[in-house]
Amino acid sequence: MVARVTRVLPPNDVLVRNASVAATKLIREAIIEGRLAPGRRLKEEELARELGISRTPVREALLMLQAEELVVATPNRGATVRVHDAKDLHDLYELRALLEGYATRRAAERISKRECNMLRLSCDRFDKLSPGNDLRGVVRENLFFHNTILEVAASERLTALVRKVIELPLVYNSYRWYSGDQMRISAHYHRQIVKALADGDADRAELIMKEHLFEARDLLVAHVQSIQEASET
């Protein structure tokens, strides 16, 4: 049974041209939020039924997601959600830290009081969330925080590069394994980043962002490594 996703298209087929775009968006969200887990087989018939559309736009959506490297097609098995091992994820987080650290440095030179306040409000919302009660909410609020900084950095090319390495690790829903202490550490990093941005301290903002991402990297990679080792015994 495929994870249920919200239907956004009307029952008639008036917007056929946009159906594949809508299907791509919904399937992408389900993958990023972990409702379609790594290694999960993606059957066109099931996805089309859940989305309330024909198989053609679903097929096109899966091709788009292959180009984004969220989905992989293999002979005799069809499309599946891409699986990354611990080494892949380590490399992705190393790259993410470099790119997003630089984005945070740029943001420190451009951020307004209104944007700082937006980030503070995000921190307030994040403090009230927990993975056990609302994992999707945690993932979405974390994305909002990081994406806001990217928007302030004001570089379309940088944003595209960062989002490519942000979304792939999120497939593994690293917050699923966060303890209460780890959530508080993550929240503390967010507030320290906001303080550095508000102070216009580009060096410190970049440094804290990198430390924040390395902390997340170590937790996620250790967990995925333990899963790999268990499967090999």
Side-chain angles (χ1 to χ4, degrees):
M1 182 68 178
V2 71
R4 182 164 293 278
V5 287
T6 304
R7 181 176 178 176
V8 296
L9 298 178
N12 55 28
D13 226 349
V14 175
L15 302 176
V16 175
R17 291 180 58 189
N18 294 327
S20 62
V21 175
T24 301
K25 180 177 183 292
L26 291 173
I27 297 170
R28 182 191 295 114
E29 287 178 353
I31 292 173
I32 292 170
E33 293 176 358
R35 288 176 283 136
L36 292 172
R40 178 66 178 269
R41 188 175 178 187
L42 301 173
K43 298 180 180 179
E44 291 179 8
E45 301 90 342
E46 290 183 358
L47 289 169
R49 185 168 57 252
E50 290 294 332
L51 295 172
I53 57 178
S54 67
R55 289 178 58 179
T56 300
V58 170
R59 187 177 302 118
E60 293 173 353
L62 293 178
L63 289 173
M64 292 181 192
L65 293 169
Q66 284 182 50
E68 295 179 17
E69 299 184 0
L70 286 173
V71 168
V72 61
T74 54
N76 305 318
R77 196 175 179 211
T80 58
V81 179
R82 189 180 184 94
V83 175
H84 289 267
D85 62 19
K87 183 178 182 300
D88 291 332
L89 292 170
H90 186 281
D91 290 345
L92 284 168
Y93 265 89
E94 290 285 313
L95 180 57
R96 179 182 174 186
L98 288 172
L99 292 170
E100 201 166 353
Y102 174 61
T104 309
R105 168 178 286 277
R106 283 177 59 97
E109 299 166 351
R110 294 165 171 79
I111 197 162
S112 67
K113 290 183 178 180
R114 181 185 66 83
E115 290 161 337
C116 282
N117 191 51
M118 286 174 58
L119 291 172
R120 291 189 185 98
L121 291 174
S122 175
C123 290
D124 292 342
R125 293 191 297 269
F126 192 80
D127 285 343
K128 298 174 183 176
L129 295 169
S130 71
N133 296 328
D134 187 5
L135 179 61
R136 289 174 63 188
V138 171
V139 171
R140 288 182 174 181
E141 192 60 52
N142 184 65
L143 269 177
F144 174 83
F145 181 87
H146 288 269
N147 284 342
T148 298
I149 292 174
L150 281 176
E151 290 170 7
V152 175
S155 169
E156 291 184 7
R157 181 170 296 177
L158 181 59
T159 296
L161 289 170
V162 172
R163 284 182 176 165
K164 191 174 183 63
V165 293
I166 284 179
E167 292 185 347
L168 284 172
L170 280 177
V171 172
Y172 288 82
N173 273 323
S174 57
Y175 280 109
R176 188 187 302 275
W177 305 304
Y178 269 47
S179 66
D181 284 344
Q182 287 159 338
M183 277 293 294
R184 284 188 287 274
I185 290 171
S186 183
H188 177 72
Y189 273 119
H190 280 200
R191 291 195 179 277
Q192 289 301 306
I193 290 168
V194 175
K195 184 179 186 305
L197 289 171
D199 292 342
D201 190 338
D203 288 341
R204 182 163 174 74
E206 180 178 16
L207 177 63
I208 298 172
M209 177 61 79
K210 286 182 176 179
E211 290 178 351
H212 173 41
L213 296 176
F214 289 148
E215 180 87 16
R217 174 203 63 192
D218 291 345
L219 178 67
L220 177 58
V221 169
H223 188 88
V224 173
Q225 184 67 52
S226 68
I227 293 174
Q228 289 177 212
E229 291 172 353
S231 66
E232 292 169 359
T233 57

